[in-house]
Every structure is written in structure tokens, then in C-alpha cells.
Amino acid sequence: MSTEPIQTKANVTAEDPQQKPAHAWLPTPVDAAARRVMVAQAAYFRAEKRAFAPGFELEDWLEAEREIARTFDS
């Protein structure tokens, strides 16, 4: 039998490079400024796909907001 202690969750520390803390799987929150940039970029790409035809700016923005929300608010 081995005399080394069995490693359990209780004795795993965040400093151990082989182990991640229990919360490592949680998504990182996105601040409002970064989120706005992501929405603006998504809206731009939607407009680009339709050759920047005028009259759809609000639809592009709202759909971009929904897209980003689906990505980060789940």
C-alpha cells in the first residue's frame, strides 16, 4: 500500500498548476462597455451581409443585442 495521502477536493489548492479552482468553468462577466462593442460589431456584420441597405439599422442592432444575450446570458 502507498503511504502518500489520497488527493481529494478538500486538499487541492488553486496554486496547484495541475488543478483549476472549482469556479473555473463559470463564464467571465462582460462589462457594459465591452458588451456594447460586441453588439456594435455584430450589428455592423449584419448590415454588411445585406450590403448596407438603409432602413434596417434598428433591426440590425436589436438582433445583434439578442445574439450577444444568447451568447452571454445563458
Side-chain angles (χ1 to χ4, degrees):
M1 251 170 78
S2 174
T3 58
E4 293 182 32
I6 297 173
Q7 190 172 25
T8 64
K9 288 183 181 181
N11 61 12
V12 173
T13 63
E15 292 82 29
D16 183 352
Q18 299 299 319
Q19 300 293 326
K20 292 183 180 180
H23 66 278
W25 63 272
L26 293 173
T28 303
V30 178
D31 69 13
R35 189 179 185 110
R36 186 180 188 289
V37 168
M38 288 186 270
V39 169
Q41 289 173 338
Y44 175 87
F45 291 133
R46 289 181 60 76
E48 184 180 45
K49 284 182 183 178
R50 59 178 174 69
F52 300 102
F56 298 94
E57 296 83 1
L58 181 59
E59 285 178 43
D60 291 337
W61 189 269
L62 295 176
E63 185 54 38
E65 283 183 336
R66 287 188 287 271
E67 177 184 330
I68 298 305
R70 282 191 302 271
T71 302
F72 291 100
D73 296 344
S74 49

